[in-house]
Amino acid sequence: MIWVDQKIKVLAISGSLRQKSSNTALLKATIGLAPENMIFTMYNGLGELPHFNPDLDIDEGPASVNELREQLKEADGVLICTPEYGNGVPGALKNALDWIVSSGEFVNKPTAVISASPSPMGGNLAHASLVLTLQMINAEIVENGKVIIPHITLKLNQEGEITNLETRQELQALLQGLEQACSRQTV
């Protein structure tokens, strides 16, 4: 059962650093479809993280890494939307996840994953790689929590609004799965 007044805090992460990223636009549009009890924080520090180095992964590590870890701790769930670069996860996103391996903020954290690409494959290789990494760090990939969107440039308009009904429905189901998983963990 989901309580109407229960606020669910979700950290939203775009795997792209590009200013006019279709994935960042899609992430924002997806947030706009969410129920009112889901409160989203956009993580904006992806480009500020240093390259992962186990020698720096200490108690008093880099401030930007500590900030990411803190935001993950405070979140009830995580929503990641990523493009595919060179048949894989963008380096900046993979780097962020590498910083979390030893600290455990993703353990049992309800997580939903979207990949989107202008290609007909929708970033499926990045998607598969990202899911594998998240499973390795024990994130809980929620039911209906994986969506691959091909031809994203045909499904978002210039204002960043989702124009494709099927895509909208898939994303609403993803959000519902994330909401339900987060609600079970906060009860």
Side-chain angles (χ1 to χ4, degrees), residues 17-155:
L17 297 176
R18 197 165 61 91
Q19 189 127 33
K20 293 188 178 192
S21 163
S22 57
N23 276 269
T24 301
L26 177 62
L27 184 59
K28 290 176 180 178
T30 302
I31 291 169
L33 300 174
E36 288 184 22
N37 65 323
M38 295 180 84
I39 308 301
F40 288 82
T41 300
M42 288 288 291
Y43 176 65
N44 295 314
L46 202 63
E48 298 167 18
L49 296 170
H51 294 294
F52 177 70
N53 179 344
D55 291 339
L56 299 177
D57 194 8
I58 55 177
D59 289 338
E60 293 299 319
S64 58
V65 172
N66 294 335
E67 175 64 24
L68 170 61
R69 289 175 174 171
E70 191 59 37
Q71 286 187 36
L72 284 166
K73 281 181 199 172
E74 291 175 4
D76 299 314
V78 179
L79 174 60
I80 301 173
C81 187
T82 189
E84 181 175 285
Y85 293 165
N87 287 340
V89 175
L93 178 57
K94 178 65 167 84
N95 183 58
L97 296 175
D98 287 344
W99 279 109
I100 304 305
V101 171
S102 67
S103 57
E105 287 81 12
F106 267 101
V107 174
N108 299 320
K109 182 79 64 177
T111 304
V113 179
I114 305 165
S115 68
S117 171
S119 81
M121 302 309 290
N124 64 321
L125 297 174
H127 190 88
S129 177
L130 180 56
V131 168
L132 281 173
T133 300
L134 289 168
Q135 289 172 335
M136 192 282 303
I137 59 178
N138 295 309
E140 176 195 340
I141 307 297
V142 302
E143 187 175 342
N144 296 322
K146 297 185 286 187
V147 174
I148 296 172
I149 304 173
H151 303 292
I152 187 59
T153 52
L154 302 177
K155 297 174 181 178

